[in-house]
């Protein structure tokens, strides 16, 4: 693939990892449209900010005029849509932003792409252009312990407002392919972790609270299971889908690393005990606090990635243990990044989220 890709939400966690990965590993140029919400961190892109192959534009995927202008001026070979409100807990406290960005925003982006692709796109690009929509396994709902992992034909059954908004967006993408022929592909990925993830999410939150001596809030009985994927493996998967994925298809991406939350938290505590021992000599596990459960908390996610493996030759490279070790190390070495990520309203958010559980932090 050559040319420019138009990335949305590329200042957030996965998007910025993807932008840096793409500029490092390929000859593609990147235009990054990001609204810079609380979840974005401009420091994520420091290493590429001066690259002649990188352009940043602050704005919303819901701004039709801006999207149309960017499509006309950059004539991208692909659009990769990461932009979203992404945190389940926030979707429980304040769901409307999830409809605005994930549903309406994605719809408008898609509709502008449709109009550009069908009438204004240069012919040399038109035949190979693709719209890659980055979605989640959470659209499939919740598994019981003995259920088979989600496959691409699992029925949609979203349970949180976040998952519902992503499901709605996925359906619009599908419909734009079937109705208008927009060359679209959707990926549904499991929980990511790694450098640059906002500390509202489980793994970075536990690392940060661990070193700060704060409580480590485990929801419910801690036995909810997630299938963890290291973010660099997700970036490689997305490039494979962009290059060779079949139009109109969906691809499930996952790490094959199912873990109960409490086991993940124990692993983090054990790593911190070695890398940053507590002054009192006790284990960080002493900070674990079981708190009232998240409403509608999905019990288990697991992803069957046979299609990614068999069609595109993709498999995760990182083991959960080595990736967690790298991740904890990264957070311990990047105080300035954490300072920036937690500057605007992080403590207020933690208080509000605890409030939802009838607790004060
Ligand atoms: P994130 O919250 O870290 O980043 C989202 C980015 O989107 C931010 O930079 C934000 O400023 C930007 N944004 C928000 N609203 C926007 C708008 N209206 N216009 C333009 N930009 C906007 O999210 P993430 O964890 O990096 O997730 C990226 C995508 O991957 C999301 O679509 C999410 O649903 C999906 N996904 C995430 C995971 C995960 O584990 N994090 C797993 C599977 C799928
Ligand atoms: P999260 O990182 O919010 O991702 P998602 O809800 O999209 O899976 O949470 C991962 C799991 O960890 C989920 O089962 C909820 C749980 N969790 C906690 O137990 N405590 C926390 O403080 C957070 C943020 C999450």
């Amino acid at each position: 693939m050559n040319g420019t890709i138009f990335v949305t939400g590329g200042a957030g966690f996965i998007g910025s990892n993807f932008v840096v990965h793409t500029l490092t590993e390929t000859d593609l140029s990147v235009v990054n449209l990001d609204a810079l919400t609380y979840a974005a961190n401009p420091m994520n892109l420091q290493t590429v900010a001066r690259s002649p192959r990188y352009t940043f534009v602050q704005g919303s995927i819901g701004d039709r005029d801006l999207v149309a202008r960017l499509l006309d001026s950059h004539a991208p070979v692909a659009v990769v849509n990461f932009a979203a409100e992404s945190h389940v807990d926030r979707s429980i406290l304040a769901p409307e932003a999830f409809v605005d960005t994930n549903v309406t925003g994605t719809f408008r982006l898609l509709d502008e792409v449709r109009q550009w692709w069908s009438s204004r796109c240069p012919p040399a690009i038109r035949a190979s252009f693709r719209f890659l929509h980055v979605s989640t396994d959470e659209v499939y709902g919740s598994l019981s312990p003995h259920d088979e992992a989600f496959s691409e034909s699992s029925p949609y059954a979203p349970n949180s407002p976040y998952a519902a908004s992503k499901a709605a967006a996925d359906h619009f993408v599908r419909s734009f392919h079937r109705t208008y022929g927009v060359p679209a592909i959707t990926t549904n990925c499991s929980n990511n972790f790694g450098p640059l993830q906002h500390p509202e999410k489980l793994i970075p939150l536990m690392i940060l609270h661990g070193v700060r001596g704060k409580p480590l809030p485990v929801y419910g009985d801690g036995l909810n299971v997630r299938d963890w994927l290291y973010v660099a493996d997700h970036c490689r998967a997305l490039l494979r889908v962009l290059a060779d994925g079949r139009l109109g298809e969906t691809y499930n991406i996952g790490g094959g690393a199912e873990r109960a939350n409490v086991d993940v938290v124990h692993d983090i505590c054990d790593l911190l005990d070695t890398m940053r021992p507590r002054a009192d000599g006790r284990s960080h596990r002493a900070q674990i606090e079981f708190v009232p459960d998240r409403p509608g908390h999905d019990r288990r996610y697991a992803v069957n990635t046979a299609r990614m493996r068999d069609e595109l030759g993709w498999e995760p490279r990182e083991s959960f243990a080595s990736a967690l070790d790298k991740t904890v190390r990264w957070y311990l070495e990047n105080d300035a990044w954490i300072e920036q990520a937690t500057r605007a309203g992080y403590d207020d958010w933690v208080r509000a989220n605890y409030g939802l559980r009838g607790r004060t932090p």
Side-chain angles (χ1 to χ4, degrees):
M1 238 180 166
N2 283 311
T4 298
I5 56 171
F6 180 168
V7 169
T8 73
F13 164 48
I14 304 173
S16 58
N17 274 285
F18 179 79
V19 168
V20 172
H21 183 88
T22 301
L23 290 169
T24 315
E25 301 295 323
T26 76
D27 294 329
L28 289 160
S29 297
V30 174
V31 177
N32 176 12
L33 172 64
D34 195 297
L36 297 185
T37 71
Y38 81 92
N41 191 336
M43 285 178 79
N44 296 358
L45 297 155
Q46 256 171 357
T47 55
V48 296
R50 291 209 176 80
S51 165
R53 290 190 288 126
Y54 177 67
T55 307
F56 178 75
V57 180
Q58 181 174 1
S60 172
I61 54 169
D63 182 341
R64 284 178 175 275
D65 292 343
L66 175 59
V67 169
R69 271 203 312 278
L70 292 174
L71 290 168
D72 283 327
S73 55
H74 293 279
V77 293
V79 172
V80 186
N81 183 32
F82 292 99
E85 290 294 332
S86 69
H87 190 33
V88 173
D89 287 322
R90 287 185 194 256
S91 84
I92 295 168
L93 273 175
E96 193 154 350
F98 289 71
V99 179
D100 291 346
T101 293
N102 301 2
V103 186
T104 309
T106 301
F107 164 75
R108 289 187 181 158
L109 173 71
L110 195 53
D111 202 36
E112 287 305 321
V113 167
R114 170 182 73 82
Q115 293 177 43
W116 172 79
W117 175 76
S118 58
S119 58
R120 310 194 307 276
C121 173
I125 288 174
R126 191 169 190 275
S128 57
F129 176 81
R130 41 194 55 196
F131 182 95
L132 172 51
H133 175 60
V134 180
S135 189
T136 165
D137 62 350
E138 302 191 25
V139 297
Y140 299 123
S142 183
L143 294 169
S144 297
H146 302 295
D147 286 342
E148 302 236 319
F150 300 129
S151 75
E152 287 81 357
S153 54
S154 295
Y156 272 39
N159 292 319
S160 69
Y162 164 68
S165 68
K166 292 297 290 186
D170 293 9
H171 291 323
F172 272 108
V173 173
R174 176 189 162 92
S175 75
F176 270 53
H177 173 72
R178 299 287 276 237
T179 305
Y180 306 109
V182 172
I185 305 177
T186 295
T187 53
N188 296 92
C189 186
S190 65
N191 288 64
N192 282 216
F193 70 108
L196 310 177
Q197 184 168 33
H198 192 283
E200 67 188 358
K201 304 280 170 36
L202 178 75
I203 289 179
L205 183 144
M206 294 298 165
I207 300 169
L208 189 59
H209 286 208
V211 293
R212 289 185 176 176
K214 291 183 169 178
L216 307 179
V218 174
Y219 299 167
D221 61 7
L223 298 180
N224 300 66
V225 170
R226 298 294 181 261
D227 173 356
W228 293 98
L229 178 69
Y230 191 55
V231 64
D233 279 325
H234 189 189
C235 294
R236 284 194 306 105
L238 294 173
L239 283 179
R240 286 298 301 124
V241 173
L242 259 188
D244 290 317
R246 282 182 293 136
L247 299 181
E249 282 301 342
T250 68
Y251 289 85
N252 281 356
I253 303 171
E258 286 189 56
R259 294 283 186 286
N261 292 335
V262 70
D263 292 335
V264 173
V265 177
H266 283 158
D267 287 350
I268 292 169
C269 289
D270 296 350
L271 287 166
L272 290 177
D273 290 345
T274 310
M275 295 181 198
R276 187 73 64 85
R278 279 168 47 128
D280 64 4
R282 295 176 71 200
S283 166
H284 288 83
R285 290 186 185 205
Q287 291 164 232
I288 293 175
E289 192 179 286
F290 287 87
V291 300
D293 210 353
R294 173 190 277 175
H297 197 177
D298 285 338
R299 194 63 175 166
R300 174 177 166 238
Y301 303 140
V303 177
N304 177 335
T305 56
R307 179 175 286 176
M308 282 298 301
R309 186 191 59 229
D310 298 345
E311 280 186 25
L312 300 178
W314 174 89
E315 276 182 314
R317 285 184 187 157
E318 286 286 342
S319 73
F320 180 75
S322 72
L324 192 65
D325 187 292
K326 280 189 199 178
T327 302
V328 172
R329 226 173 267 286
W330 187 87
Y331 280 92
L332 294 183
E333 287 166 1
N334 283 277
D335 285 342
W337 184 93
I338 291 170
E339 175 62 30
Q340 175 78 23
T342 54
R343 190 168 291 168
Y346 180 72
D347 291 337
D348 291 342
W349 159 252
V350 171
R351 258 191 298 279
N353 197 27
Y354 266 87
L356 185 73
R357 300 185 157 72
R359 298 285 180 103
T360 43

